[in-house]
Amino acid sequence: MPELMIAVGVVFALITGMNDGGALIAPGLRIPGMSVAAGLALLVAALVAVPLLVTTAVAETLTGSIVPTDSATLAIGFVVAIVVAAGLARRGLPTSLTLAVIGGVAGAGLGAGLAVEWAAVVRVLAIGLAAPAVGMLLALAGAAVWRTARTARYLATVRRTHVAAYLAQCVAYGANDGQKTLVLFIAAGTAGGGPATPRWWAYPVIGAVFATGAVIGLPRVARTVGTGIVNTRAPHAVTAEFASAAAVLGSAAAGAPVSMTQALTGGLLGAGVHDSYRRVRWRVVANLALAWAVTLPAAFALAGAAALVVDVWTA
């Protein structure tokens, strides 16, 4: 079972890179001064370094707070999350993998007859649903600041601020949403009788596979997040990056997993609405909202059915 969980964890890291990596890099593509390679390197470095050196609180929340730590249940939940996220990614709709994982693990736990901690599920969902709203409100405030900050060195200021905002976003991702890639590696270690921490080699493996997924997913996701929500200008991207970083770092302090893609989408929406609600491509926003709405119930139902089948098979 540990070997199977590691294999699923590797595939999940790839899908996470395709879904999240492209979404985080895409808004800054129109700002000169940071190449795609540099942006990807910073994101992968934060994904590896923050949980390794600072905290794995969010990974621990996802590992054992929703259902009692059970290797088969976690594996089923993550496999279903992969299926749901991959299906939506093919349509260029980056969904919340956090919602997919929560729905998958809770559904698998229910199907396997385990005690699901519904209070923990509701708490995580409430914080997750608040993330795009908080990102939007912070972006509205940030956009107002930008409007009063136009100077002769405006473009240079935007470039420097973009670097700071993107770094904050990367750190927030490593402290929160990115830690879902560690869950199966932690569970594999405990299933093998080891400590509840990833082995040292898990970090470079996750980083390499995530980077590969980001490269694969960037072109498709960039059309949705990078320019699909609004015709992104430099201040939009910087505002959204700062807003999403603040929203997600606040949730990380509470150990609650939050989707960075949702917070970033809310940030882009807030920045666009501040200019004019007509700048927002509401059809794209509606499609993203639909993807988020179906992610958790679809993952919950599929994982519950899969767990029942596995339970009957192994009885």
Side-chain angles (χ1 to χ4, degrees):
M1 183 61 73
E3 292 78 11
L4 175 61
M5 297 187 74
I6 290 171
V8 175
V10 169
V11 176
F12 184 76
L14 180 70
I15 296 298
T16 302
M18 294 174 62
N19 186 84
D20 295 356
L24 298 182
I25 295 171
L29 292 178
R30 291 193 173 187
I31 304 177
M34 182 183 294
S35 65
V36 173
L40 180 57
L42 289 172
L43 179 58
V44 172
L47 175 69
V48 172
V50 174
L52 181 62
L53 301 176
V54 183
T55 179
T56 57
V58 171
E60 292 164 10
T61 296
L62 288 172
T63 301
S65 66
I66 296 174
V67 297
T69 303
D70 178 80
S71 300
T73 300
L74 285 174
I76 292 170
F78 273 78
V79 167
V80 168
I82 290 169
V83 171
V84 172
L88 292 170
R90 287 179 61 85
R91 297 177 175 272
L93 296 174
T95 188
S96 167
L97 273 168
T98 300
L99 289 178
V101 167
I102 293 169
V105 172
L110 186 65
L114 299 177
V116 178
E117 294 290 339
W118 295 112
V121 173
V122 171
R123 172 176 173 270
V124 170
L125 287 180
I127 295 174
L129 290 173
V134 172
M136 180 176 177
L137 292 174
L138 290 173
L140 283 169
V145 173
W146 274 116
R147 178 162 290 184
T148 62
R150 293 183 180 276
T151 66
R153 296 183 57 79
Y154 177 70
L155 184 56
T157 301
V158 168
R159 291 175 179 175
R160 289 194 298 270
T161 309
H162 166 55
V163 173
Y166 183 75
L167 283 172
Q169 184 178 251
C170 290
V171 170
Y173 186 74
N176 195 318
D177 201 19
Q179 292 193 13
K180 59 184 177 287
T181 58
L182 297 171
V183 172
L184 289 178
F185 290 89
I186 293 174
T190 56
T197 55
R199 300 288 296 275
W200 67 267
W201 49 262
Y203 292 99
V205 168
I206 289 171
V209 175
F210 179 92
T212 302
V215 171
I216 295 171
L218 179 59
R220 180 179 286 112
V221 174
R223 290 194 294 270
T224 302
V225 177
T227 57
I229 298 171
V230 294
N231 185 17
T232 309
R233 296 185 292 110
H236 293 148
V238 174
T239 301
E241 287 167 346
F242 266 131
S244 61
V248 174
L249 278 173
S251 300
V258 167
S259 171
M260 177 66 84
T261 57
Q262 286 184 296
L264 181 60
T265 299
L268 289 169
L269 182 59
V273 167
H274 184 270
D275 282 356
S276 171
Y277 75 92
R278 294 179 179 176
R279 294 185 61 88
V280 178
R281 297 187 176 98
W282 293 107
R283 183 175 180 181
V284 176
V285 174
N287 287 338
L288 285 171
L290 178 62
W292 298 342
V294 303
T295 293
L296 188 142
F300 183 87
L302 288 174
L308 283 172
V309 170
V310 170
D311 192 47
V312 170
W313 189 297
T314 57

